[in-house]
Structures are given as structure tokens and as C-alpha cells.
Amino acid sequence: MPLTDISDRISAAEARAGRPSGSVRLIAVSKVQPNERVEAVLKAGHRCFGENRVQEAAGKWPEFRETFPDVELHLIGPLQTNKARQAFGLFQSIHSLDRPKLAKTFARLADETGTCPEMFVQVNTGEEPQKAGVLPGDADAFVADCRSLNLPIQGLMCIPPADEEPSLHFALLRKIAERNGLEGLSMGMSGDFESAIALGATHVRVGSAIFGERTPG
């Protein structure tokens, strides 16, 4: 099964990097995947999944959770501020905190509800104008601002540019995280997660290599 293959490759990459077994979380990216494929991975025992859109997650996961209540859901796509409340109720972890307005909204919701998903600040390591994320030069100040709002900042997340060597971006993200005393590094996807693990990834986001190619419908 592809899930087993990916898990074995993660274990091998951990060993090569001299890291403890189980130090990397595999987020199975289930966005735009048919429910039967998702259910097969759930039945294989995997419980950590990633979604890109609040609306899609809201239509899929409440029903799955009736059968698999221990599912851990990660939001890995951009979040509109007006969907923040709904995201709070669905996700245990949000990897796309990228602007002050969203941080303030999260802080208000955390005060109101008494709970808060763990947070990753998204860094636009390639400084791509079309991509979400804070610029590397602004990351330290933004992390400090989020901490001043008492948000549970777990780490940083990046999506390297498609046409550049990803390990350069993983190394940059690690440097920013170390400078800010952050342990979480959400980086690495189907094509490059092994090099991300070598550079310290704690969460890798793998979709097509587990589920097969996406079938938007």
C-alpha cells in the first residue's frame, strides 16, 4: 500500500538524518480526493490528515469523525478571516497563519472559546508575489506579534517555488525557526519530503504519493 511505502521512506529518512524514529508527523493531504480513497487510508490506521479549504473539510470530516473520532486535522491552505471561526471548530492545527488581521481574529476566538488550534506561521521563502505567507525579513517580528497575542505558535511552514531547489528553502525556514526558538517545521511534500526531513522537518505533507493523483470534480 502506498501509505506503508511512504511511512517506510520517512523512517529511513529519519534514520539517515540521525533523528529518533517517529519524530516526523505524516500529514496525509486528502484535499480533492474521493471519500473512498480517504476511507481506505483511515481503515489502514492513519489518523493525521491535511485539507486546503475549510468548506471542503466541513463537508467531509464531521461524518468521518463519527466512525474515526481520533482523527487529527491540519489546515494547510490559505484561510480567509471570515472562515476563522469555522476553522477553529474543525482543525487541531493551522499551518497558514500569515497576516496580522488573521492573528488578531484567532486571538479573539481563543479568548472567547478558551481553546485554540496549534499554529504554524507560513513563510513565503521564495518571496513569490502570488503566494501567501510572511516574507522572510518580516518573520521574526510577526512571530513576536503572534506570541504577544498568546497564540500557540508551534513552528513555521513553507511551500518552496516549484522551479527552485527546495532544500535551500527548507534550510532558510529552519534558520528562521531556530532564531525564534521554534521546533515545528512543516515542510516537504510528495516529491521532496526526504530532503525536508534531512533538514529538520517535523511535519511532512504528502498527498498524491499516498492517494494517487487528485481528481477534482
Side-chain angles (χ1 to χ4, degrees), residues 16 31 35 39 49 72 80-82 89 139 149 161 182 197:
R16 283 195 301 274
K31 62 177 184 179
N35 281 359
E39 189 170 13
F49 291 82
E72 185 183 302
Q80 295 169 283
T81 308
N82 64 0
L149 293 167
L182 291 168
I197 291 170

Side-chain angles (χ1 to χ4, degrees), residues 4-151:
T4 307
D5 174 53
I6 297 299
S7 297
D8 289 347
R9 285 170 61 190
I10 288 172
S11 296
E14 287 172 335
R16 283 195 301 274
R19 297 178 57 188
S21 177
S23 57
V24 178
R25 299 293 315 268
L26 170 59
I27 301 173
V29 180
S30 46
K31 62 177 184 179
V32 207
Q33 290 290 352
N35 281 359
E36 57 269 22
R37 290 187 188 176
V38 179
E39 189 170 13
V41 173
L42 281 161
K43 285 181 173 172
H46 195 71
R47 292 292 181 270
C48 183
F49 291 82
E51 289 285 341
N52 252 39
R53 292 171 61 235
V54 174
Q55 203 167 343
E56 185 184 345
K60 180 190 298 180
W61 285 101
E63 192 173 340
F64 275 137
R65 277 195 165 127
E66 289 176 15
T67 310
F68 305 98
D70 53 343
V71 160
E72 185 183 302
L73 213 52
H74 295 246
L75 178 66
I76 57 174
L79 180 63
Q80 295 169 283
T81 308
N82 64 0
K83 296 271 174 61
R85 183 180 294 276
Q86 194 177 9
F88 249 57
L90 276 169
F91 295 96
Q92 283 69 57
S93 186
I94 292 172
H95 292 235
S96 47
L97 174 53
D98 64 348
R99 59 196 186 278
K101 185 180 179 185
L102 189 58
K104 287 173 183 158
T105 301
F106 282 150
R108 181 171 49 77
L109 288 167
D111 283 344
E112 187 183 307
T113 62
T115 183
C116 187
E118 65 176 17
M119 302 273 168
F120 288 75
V121 169
Q122 182 171 351
V123 181
N124 184 351
T125 55
E127 302 189 25
E128 298 172 275
Q130 80 284 7
K131 197 172 276 181
V134 298
L135 296 176
D138 298 333
D140 296 358
F142 184 66
V143 168
D145 288 346
C146 291
R147 284 175 163 158
S148 73
L149 293 167
N150 293 319
L151 291 174

Side-chain angles (χ1 to χ4, degrees), residues 125-128 130-131 159-169 189 192:
T125 55
E127 302 189 25
E128 298 172 275
Q130 80 284 7
K131 197 172 276 181
I159 304 170
D163 57 350
E164 292 186 21
E165 171 54 51
S167 60
L168 300 174
H169 296 269
M189 298 186 283
D192 56 25

